[in-house]
Amino acid sequence: MNTTAPAQQSARGEQTPETTAFLRVRVGQEEAHYGGDLVDGARILRLFGDLVTEITIRTDGDEGLLAQYSEVRFAAPVKPGDYIEARGRLVRRTRLRRVVELEAHKVLSARPGAGESAAAVLDAPQLVCSATATTVVPYRRTDTATALNPVAEET
């Protein structure tokens, strides 16, 4: 799901719509990886990768290539049965790079102690992971027709 939010300023000083992406998924039992029925952090990073890919497709007409994650912080455990909402927001763009801020929150929580299929809606979403991603997109000299927002020269 993509939304267009308040405008942000481009490298040229122009106002452009903010680009965001959103996913909500249920974590399945098959994703339990560690003792205590914990899900590995790589599951959340895969969600982040999907968000970055969607954002670069929407802004550039190309999936791009994820170059790095930085400032990765795992803040709470994820278990099978939990529902995770992940959001990404484009915060910086240059000619070849896109920088996306990412967060994942637990919004529904499995309650295995209350029964095999018990779950609860959390009063407030719980941050489980945050990160910043940098992706690289191909430089196109002539065909910018597929891009929604042409990009300024890299700074």
Side-chain angles (χ1 to χ4, degrees), residues 20 34-35 41 45-46 55 68 73 76 82 100 105 107 110 112 134 155:
T20 62
Y34 294 110
L45 294 180
R46 285 194 308 273
I55 287 171
Q68 81 175 40
R73 182 175 155 254
D82 291 346
V100 179
H105 291 85
V107 293
T134 301
T155 56

Side-chain angles (χ1 to χ4, degrees), residues 8 10 16 20 29 32-33 40 51 68 70 79 92 101 109 113 119 134 147 149 154:
Q8 61 188 31
S10 73
T16 59
T20 62
Q29 185 62 46
H33 185 73
D40 65 6
L51 293 170
Q68 81 175 40
S70 60
K79 296 190 173 197
R92 184 167 181 253
E101 288 181 350
S109 183
T134 301
N149 301 311
E154 183 154 9

Side-chain angles (χ1 to χ4, degrees), residues 47 50 59 139:
L47 293 175
D50 289 343
T59 59
Y139 177 59

